[in-house]
Amino acid sequence: VAMPGSVRVAAPGAVRGALLSLCLAALLGALGAGGTELTLELPDSAQRCFHQELESGIKFTLDYQVISGGHYDVDCYVEDPNGKTIYQETKKQYDSFTHHTELKGVYTFCFGNEFSTFSHKIVYFDFQVGDEPPILPDMNNRVTALTQLESACVTIHEMLKAVIDSQTHYRLREAQDRSRAEELNGRVSYWSLGETLILFVVSIGQVMLLKSFFTEKRPSSGGAGS
């Protein structure tokens, strides 16, 4: 109970909990900034392009992976505002590309499926622009060592990044494995149906063949009279 005129001091555990909550909020805000994730369907013999206007001296990273379709490969290239190709790969299942812009303007990155004439693809990509903001104020300009709580925040931040990357990786692997399982299930179903039809036709043929063996052929009446 606080006496009149006295100053109420919070418990160290409560202060530590409040600071940790603020630290986690800052971590989650930093993790969710500056990125675009998209899953797109790429038809056969088609190409999809995306455009992003960037300033000079900006870092961007493009990560992509084919989730389903064909041999799980796709063409990808990136062009600068002058139309110069700064990245190009053909028939890649997944890859990562990082670049620091030298020109200001619209950068274009495209995914191509022109080499496939009958299978469409589903492609996931993550486009990150800029460096990650510091999780603590003036962290890059500090001359003093980090406190124990600040070090814990940095450690938690790195762990959260690793968890998010792992979750994204396993989510894509699960989607890819599900697509393969569904494709395999369809092939097994069609093969089973074909085997059933063949078995039915062979059974009817064997019955008719055995029936012909036991059918008695009577002599004609004209031949008996002569």
Side-chain angles (χ1 to χ4, degrees), residues 97-173:
F97 172 68
T98 302
H99 182 73
H100 288 80
T101 61
E102 299 178 355
L103 301 173
K104 176 183 178 181
V106 177
Y107 286 77
T108 303
F109 58 98
C110 300
F111 300 99
N113 193 30
E114 293 92 348
F115 59 87
S116 179
T117 57
F118 59 89
S119 62
H120 69 279
K121 311 289 177 62
I122 296 180
V123 182
Y124 163 85
F125 73 87
D126 183 10
F127 188 73
Q128 299 285 339
V129 179
D131 294 322
E132 182 181 334
I135 62 174
L136 298 175
D138 301 329
M139 183 174 176
N140 296 331
N141 300 324
R142 297 186 59 172
V143 294
T144 59
L146 298 177
T147 64
Q148 185 177 1
L149 180 60
E150 291 172 342
S151 299
C153 289
V154 174
T155 302
I156 294 172
H157 174 68
E158 297 299 329
M159 290 182 176
L160 285 176
K161 286 175 58 180
V163 168
I164 290 176
D165 292 340
S166 298
Q167 287 180 339
T168 302
H169 172 71
Y170 288 124
R171 187 172 64 249
L172 294 176
R173 288 293 300 271

Side-chain angles (χ1 to χ4, degrees), residues 48-146:
R48 293 278 180 89
C49 294
F50 299 87
H51 311 276
Q52 178 67 43
E53 185 173 1
L54 300 174
E55 299 290 334
S56 60
I58 297 295
K59 172 187 173 182
F60 72 86
T61 303
L62 175 64
D63 299 316
Y64 65 91
Q65 180 175 345
V66 181
I67 300 176
S68 66
H71 296 286
Y72 301 90
D73 52 359
V74 71
D75 296 341
C76 180
Y77 68 88
V78 181
E79 291 183 349
D80 64 6
N82 292 335
K84 178 182 177 182
T85 302
I86 57 179
Y87 170 82
Q88 185 173 8
E89 291 290 343
T90 58
K91 296 185 178 182
K92 294 283 290 186
Q93 294 184 352
Y94 60 89
D95 202 5
S96 179
F97 172 68
T98 302
H99 182 73
H100 288 80
T101 61
E102 299 178 355
L103 301 173
K104 176 183 178 181
V106 177
Y107 286 77
T108 303
F109 58 98
C110 300
F111 300 99
N113 193 30
E114 293 92 348
F115 59 87
S116 179
T117 57
F118 59 89
S119 62
H120 69 279
K121 311 289 177 62
I122 296 180
V123 182
Y124 163 85
F125 73 87
D126 183 10
F127 188 73
Q128 299 285 339
V129 179
D131 294 322
E132 182 181 334
I135 62 174
L136 298 175
D138 301 329
M139 183 174 176
N140 296 331
N141 300 324
R142 297 186 59 172
V143 294
T144 59
L146 298 177

Side-chain angles (χ1 to χ4, degrees), residues 150-208:
E150 291 172 342
S151 299
C153 289
V154 174
T155 302
I156 294 172
H157 174 68
E158 297 299 329
M159 290 182 176
L160 285 176
K161 286 175 58 180
V163 168
I164 290 176
D165 292 340
S166 298
Q167 287 180 339
T168 302
H169 172 71
Y170 288 124
R171 187 172 64 249
L172 294 176
R173 288 293 300 271
E174 190 271 337
Q176 190 177 54
D177 293 340
R178 187 193 309 118
S179 175
R180 289 180 177 177
E182 291 177 353
E183 182 181 358
L184 181 60
N185 180 62
R187 292 183 178 180
V188 171
S189 299
Y190 287 126
W191 180 255
S192 300
L193 180 60
E195 286 185 335
T196 302
L197 293 176
I198 293 174
L199 181 61
F200 185 72
V201 172
V202 170
S203 300
I204 294 178
Q206 288 180 346
V207 170
M208 295 180 64

